[in-house]
């Protein structure tokens, strides 16, 4: 083979190897082949020089390829940063690329823990040891601690034997468990020069000895810089999100405060207008219920309801359904139940619970949540005038709570005004009652006219109640009567050591007396006995009804029925003795009427048989002789009497009334 041809063939082979990207050892094979082929010395030298040039070109190409891969990785990392959404995802990508580009067995990134004062593993790639993944390093400990402390990169071909680093048992145990030998660590720096701040460290490590080149150190530093930018950007974005959230929250608070102020202003205007237009406590309760979308009841100082429950608008959009009474109601006639829904007097336990909650409100000077209901005391100075109870709004917030508390001030003013007016009117009405009882015949027409001027029509039927209590608490009774009749248009007055009440309404005197006794006893704090009479119309009749009620009150006290209520008609024959007109015929009819009607309808002699039976001391034998009938006939007639009058007809109390009725009938017929 000619010389030029042989050299050209070997050079062409080197070019083919460069084009194919063959490994470096394949280039040496060309010179070996030329030597084995017996090439002349000059040709062999030329081929060897060409081989060295080819290896340099090969190395340059490999370096360019590596740089290209590094730049691609850095560009990809920069793209990840530009589209940063998830910091953990970006950091995992950086650590994975560091491991790939450096060709290491593992790569990891540590961040400082400000609270604990150390650093911890944030991201790992290629790690298999749980102990290593949970490793924590103090500043200055191990290679990583030294990187974080000095802000400089460090590399070691064999960490276990490298004495430059402060070895600790925990770090060495983690490194050993992971099987790491060669480690390269670089700092995550924000800023440059002496003002730079280390915010973490990026590592690449092999499980076999290895010396890291300056290019590899520079590459890892570039990735670490990107990681630092990612962390700083994420922190800035987090801070921005927090700032935006705080700003949104502040704006919401401002809007809420503004709305609350506007609502408070509107509420104040509404309540003020209501009072100026002559609104009553019930109207205020209805307005507050509507404003707060709950149920509101006003109670007096004793825990008894002054209004029926006012129901606010349904939060879902329903309209208000106000059930408050127009005149404020009274504890006797319009008292709410324990739940404030109306329908009868509140039980004593419920009243006591309201009083306790109101006392707590007075002590704190704020509305208090009690058993799911808000209670706010209505005060005049330190005097408890009553309380407002709001139900249906356990989540009452600050502005609404202040509105509820302000409404109690308006309620206090109305209660104080109403009490003053009531006391004044009651004194004037009391003078009328005194004249009515002491001289009803002196000027009946004048009494009627005076009553009409005070809003009392004496010619309309009224009940008359007379109340009495123990001497040591007697001074409380008049005030309790005013409070009991508060807002009903009724009247009360002291007379002869008792208090006379003339309530509105048409209930039976006994029922009215018992209702008054129950609530006056609660208000006074001691047993109050009440007797009722009437209805009566006109000055003379009202005075007579008072006299009858006074006699009935005396009988109740003599009978030991302290704290009870009743009427003369309910006392049986005692009512005949105590009644104004001594209604003998009415008593006889009420007692013997069923027997008289039966005798008249059937032609029997049950009344005569009953008189003979009692006249003979209950002896059947003597009764049959007096009646001239067989004893079985007497027994049959007594059985019929029991069927008509009931099984208790022969009890001592009923027997006494029957005998008195029989005697009065006999006297009236003679």
């Amino acid at each position: 083979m000619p010389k030029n041809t042989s050299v050209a063939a070997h050079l062409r082979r080197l070019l083919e190897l460069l084009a194919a990207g063959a490994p470096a050892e394949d280039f040496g094979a060309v010179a070996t082949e030329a030597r084995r082929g017996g090439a002349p010395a000059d040709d062999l030298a030329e081929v060897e020089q060409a081989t060295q040039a080819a290896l340099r070109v090969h190395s340059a190409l490999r370096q360019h390829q590596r740089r290209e891969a590094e730049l691609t990785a850095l560009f990809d990392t920069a793209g990840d940063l530009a589209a940063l959404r998830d910091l953990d995802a970006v950091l995992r990508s950086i650590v994975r690329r560091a491991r790939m580009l450096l060709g290491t067995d593992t790569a990891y990134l540590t961040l400082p823990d400000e609270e604990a004062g150390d650093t911890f593993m944030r991201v790992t790639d290629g790690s298999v040891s749980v102990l290593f993944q949970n490793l924590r390093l103090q500043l200055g400990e191990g290679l990583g601690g030294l990187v974080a402390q000095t802000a400089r990169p460090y590399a070691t071909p064999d960490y276990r034997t490298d004495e430059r680093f402060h070895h600790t048992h925990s770090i060495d145990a983690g490194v050993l468990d992971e099987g790491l030998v060669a480690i390269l660590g670089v700092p995550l720096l924000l800023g440059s020069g002496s003002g730079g701040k280390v915010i973490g460290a990026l590592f690449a490590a092999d499980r076999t000895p290895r010396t890291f080149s300056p290019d590899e150190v520079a590459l890892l530093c570039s990735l670490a810089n990107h990681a630092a930018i990612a962390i700083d950007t994420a922190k800035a974005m987090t801070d921005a999100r927090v700032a935006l959230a705080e700003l949104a929250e502040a704006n919401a608070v401002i809007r809420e405060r503004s709305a609350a102020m506007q609502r408070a202003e509107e509420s104040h205007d509404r309540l003020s207008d209501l009072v100026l237009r002559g609104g009553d406590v019930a109207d205020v309760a209805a307005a507050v219920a509507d404003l707060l979308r709950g149920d509101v009841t006003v109670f007096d100082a004793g825990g008894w309801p002054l209004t029926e429950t006012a129901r606010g608008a349904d939060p879902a959009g329903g309209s208000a359904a106000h059930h408050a009474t127009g005149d404020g109601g009274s504890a006797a006639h319009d008292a709410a139940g324990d739940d404030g829904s109306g329908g009868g007097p509140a039980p004593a336990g419920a009243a006591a619970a309201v009083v306790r909650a109101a006392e707590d409100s007075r002590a704190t000077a704020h509305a208090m949540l009690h058993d799911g209901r808000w209670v706010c005391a209505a005060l005049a100075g330190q005097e408890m005038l009553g309380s407002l109870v709001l139900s249906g709004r356990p989540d009452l917030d600050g502005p609404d709570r202040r509105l509820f508390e302000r409404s109690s001030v308006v309620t206090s003013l109305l209660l104080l005004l109403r009490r003053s007016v009531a006391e004044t009117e009651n004194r004037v009405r009391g003078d009328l009652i005194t004249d009515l009882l002491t001289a009803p015949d002196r000027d009946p027409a004048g009494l009627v006219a005076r009553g009409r001027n005070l809003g009392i029509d004496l010619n309309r039927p009224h009940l008359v109640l007379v109340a009495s209590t123990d001497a040591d608490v007697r001074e409380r009774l008049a005030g309790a009567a005013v409070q009991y009749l508060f807002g009903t248009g009724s009247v009360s007055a002291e007379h002869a050591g008792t208090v006379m009440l003339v309530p509105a309404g048409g209930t039976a005197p006994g029922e009215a007396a018992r209702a008054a006794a129950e609530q006056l006893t609660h208000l006074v704090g001691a047993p109050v006995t009440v007797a009722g009479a009437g209805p009566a119309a006109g000055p003379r009749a009202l005075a007579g009804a008072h006299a009858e009620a006074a006699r009935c009150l005396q009988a109740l006290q003599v009978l030991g029925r302290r704290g009870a209520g009743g009427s003369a008609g309910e006392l049986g024959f005692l009512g005949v003795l105590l009644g104004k007109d001594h209604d003998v015929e009415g008593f006889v009819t009420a007692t013997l009427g069923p027997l008289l009607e039966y005798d008249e309808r059937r032609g029997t002699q049950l009344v005569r048989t009953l008189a003979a039976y009692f006249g003979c001391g209950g002896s059947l034998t003597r009764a049959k002789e007096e009646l001239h009938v067989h004893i079985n006939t007497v027994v049959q007639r007594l059985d019929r009497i029991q069927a008509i009058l009931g099984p208790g007809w022969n009890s001592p109390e009923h027997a006494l009334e029957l005998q008195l009725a029989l005697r009065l009938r006999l006297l009236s017929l003679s």
Side-chain angles (χ1 to χ4, degrees):
M1 178 182 297
K3 171 183 176 184
N4 291 338
T5 304
S6 176
V7 172
H10 290 304
L11 293 179
R12 185 171 58 252
R13 177 59 179 163
L14 289 173
L15 291 174
E16 290 174 349
L17 291 175
L18 284 173
E25 54 268 22
D26 290 351
F27 289 87
V30 175
T32 301
E33 183 181 349
R35 189 178 298 109
R36 289 177 180 175
D42 292 342
D43 291 348
L44 184 60
E46 189 173 349
V47 170
E48 289 177 348
Q49 291 175 3
T51 299
Q52 294 299 321
L55 285 173
R56 288 194 297 272
V57 172
H58 178 270
S59 176
L61 289 174
R62 291 293 299 271
Q63 186 174 5
H64 285 307
Q65 290 173 351
R66 186 174 66 252
R67 289 289 177 84
E68 182 180 358
E70 293 172 359
L71 289 175
T72 300
L74 292 177
F75 280 125
D76 290 342
T77 302
D80 290 343
L81 292 177
L84 179 64
R85 293 294 182 268
D86 183 357
L87 176 62
D88 285 339
V90 173
L91 294 181
R92 283 194 298 269
S93 176
I94 291 174
V95 171
R96 185 168 57 254
R97 285 170 183 154
R99 180 189 175 199
M100 178 186 67
L101 291 174
L102 271 68
T104 56
D105 295 323
T106 183
Y108 51 96
L109 184 146
T110 62
L111 292 180
D113 186 335
E114 301 292 344
E115 294 184 1
D118 58 8
T119 60
F120 66 98
M121 294 285 184
R122 175 65 183 271
V123 181
T124 64
D125 189 76
S127 172
V128 295
S129 169
V130 175
L131 178 63
F132 181 77
Q133 292 166 9
N134 292 302
L135 198 62
R136 301 185 75 93
L137 297 82
Q138 300 290 336
L139 288 178
E141 293 181 350
L143 185 148
L146 192 59
V147 170
Q149 185 179 51
T150 63
R152 294 174 56 190
Y154 281 91
T156 176
D158 189 351
Y159 175 77
R160 304 174 190 176
T161 60
D162 198 328
E163 298 299 330
R164 291 179 299 162
F165 310 111
H166 178 207
H167 292 264
T168 66
H169 173 72
S170 61
I171 297 176
D172 288 351
V175 170
L176 179 63
D177 195 52
E178 187 65 57
L180 299 181
V181 177
I183 303 175
L184 168 61
V186 297
L188 274 64
L189 282 172
L190 282 180
S192 59
S194 59
K197 178 182 178 183
V198 178
I199 62 170
L202 179 62
F203 300 87
D206 262 339
R207 295 187 175 91
T208 57
R210 170 177 176 174
T211 300
F212 292 97
S213 68
D215 287 342
E216 291 173 327
V217 174
L219 173 60
L220 196 62
C221 286
S222 297
L223 290 172
N225 290 335
H226 281 79
I229 294 172
I231 294 171
D232 187 54
T233 302
K235 182 178 182 301
M237 293 180 65
T238 301
D239 292 343
R241 284 194 294 268
V242 171
L244 287 174
E246 291 177 348
L247 182 60
E249 184 178 353
N251 286 334
V253 171
I254 291 172
R255 288 194 299 270
E256 182 181 349
R257 295 278 177 85
S258 177
M261 291 178 62
Q262 182 177 358
R263 186 177 177 191
E265 182 178 354
E266 293 173 353
S267 302
H268 179 270
D269 292 343
R270 180 173 175 179
L271 293 177
S272 300
D273 182 64
L274 189 151
V275 173
L276 292 175
R277 287 189 291 103
D280 203 349
V281 174
D283 299 317
V284 172
V288 174
D290 191 34
L291 289 167
L292 297 180
R293 302 182 302 280
D295 298 344
V296 175
T297 308
V298 180
F299 291 83
D300 64 16
W304 295 87
L306 294 175
T307 67
E308 291 185 357
T309 300
R311 305 196 184 281
D314 188 337
S319 60
H322 298 148
H323 302 294
T325 57
D327 59 2
S330 73
H333 304 295
D334 298 308
D338 184 24
D339 61 354
S341 60
V354 172
V355 171
R356 286 195 300 271
E359 287 294 342
D360 292 340
S361 173
R362 174 165 67 174
T364 61
H366 291 289
M368 301 291 292
L369 184 63
H370 182 78
D371 291 338
R373 301 183 299 178
W374 287 96
V375 180
C376 190
L379 304 173
Q382 287 300 311
E383 181 185 1
M384 177 81 72
L385 298 178
S387 60
L388 271 74
V389 175
L390 171 67
S391 56
R393 285 293 308 277
D395 58 339
L396 201 65
D397 57 12
D400 281 353
R401 192 182 309 177
R402 287 189 290 274
L403 170 59
F404 181 53
E405 291 170 350
R406 282 194 293 270
S407 66
S408 71
V409 176
V410 177
T411 303
S412 300
L413 293 174
L414 288 177
L415 288 175
L416 194 60
L417 177 62
R418 284 181 54 182
R419 188 176 70 176
S420 300
V421 172
E423 289 175 349
T424 302
E425 290 181 349
N426 205 62
R427 282 195 296 271
V428 178
R429 289 173 176 174
D431 294 339
L432 172 64
I433 293 299
T434 299
D435 293 343
L436 175 67
L437 297 181
T438 55
D441 296 323
R442 185 170 59 193
D443 185 11
L447 291 174
V448 171
R450 287 169 58 190
R452 190 174 296 113
N453 292 334
L454 295 175
I456 305 173
D457 186 0
L458 296 181
N459 286 329
R460 184 169 63 88
H462 288 82
L463 295 179
V464 175
L465 304 179
V466 179
S468 178
T469 188
D470 299 338
D472 56 340
V473 293
R474 188 171 296 162
E475 69 278 1
R476 303 182 197 167
L477 183 56
V482 172
Q483 189 173 352
Y484 172 66
L485 298 176
F486 189 51
T488 65
S490 304
V491 65
S492 65
E494 293 184 81
H495 183 74
T498 63
V499 173
M500 175 185 176
L501 299 88
V502 184
T507 57
E511 294 178 7
R514 282 186 288 276
E518 179 185 0
Q519 296 195 35
L520 288 174
T521 295
H522 171 74
L523 293 172
V524 172
V528 177
T529 309
V530 182
R540 295 185 182 87
L542 288 170
H546 175 268
E548 180 178 326
R551 290 193 297 271
C552 180
L553 175 65
Q554 184 177 7
L556 290 173
Q557 292 171 332
V558 169
L559 294 173
R561 296 176 61 181
R562 183 167 167 263
S567 65
E570 295 174 341
L571 296 180
F573 73 91
L574 285 177
V576 177
L577 300 177
L578 299 172
K580 169 191 162 188
D581 297 322
H582 301 293
D583 186 8
V584 174
E585 182 178 354
F587 173 71
V588 172
T589 300
T591 307
L592 298 176
L595 297 180
L596 292 170
E597 291 178 4
Y598 190 89
D599 283 346
E600 183 178 355
R601 188 170 63 253
R602 300 292 183 91
T604 56
Q605 298 184 30
L606 296 183
V607 174
R608 181 167 177 263
T609 301
L610 185 62
Y613 174 74
F614 283 131
C616 295
S619 172
L620 296 176
T621 303
R622 291 172 56 191
K624 66 102 176 175
E625 292 175 354
E626 182 173 336
L627 295 171
H628 304 292
V629 296
H630 193 275
I631 191 171
N632 290 341
T633 301
V634 176
V635 172
Q636 292 172 0
R637 290 179 179 178
L638 292 178
D639 288 342
R640 177 58 58 187
I641 290 172
Q642 178 170 313
I644 296 173
L645 298 181
W649 71 274
N650 204 17
S651 65
E653 181 179 352
H654 290 170
L656 178 59
E657 291 191 356
L658 288 171
Q659 292 179 65
L660 179 59
L662 289 169
R663 180 59 59 89
L664 292 173
R665 179 173 180 272
L666 179 62
L667 292 175
S668 65
L669 295 176
S670 60

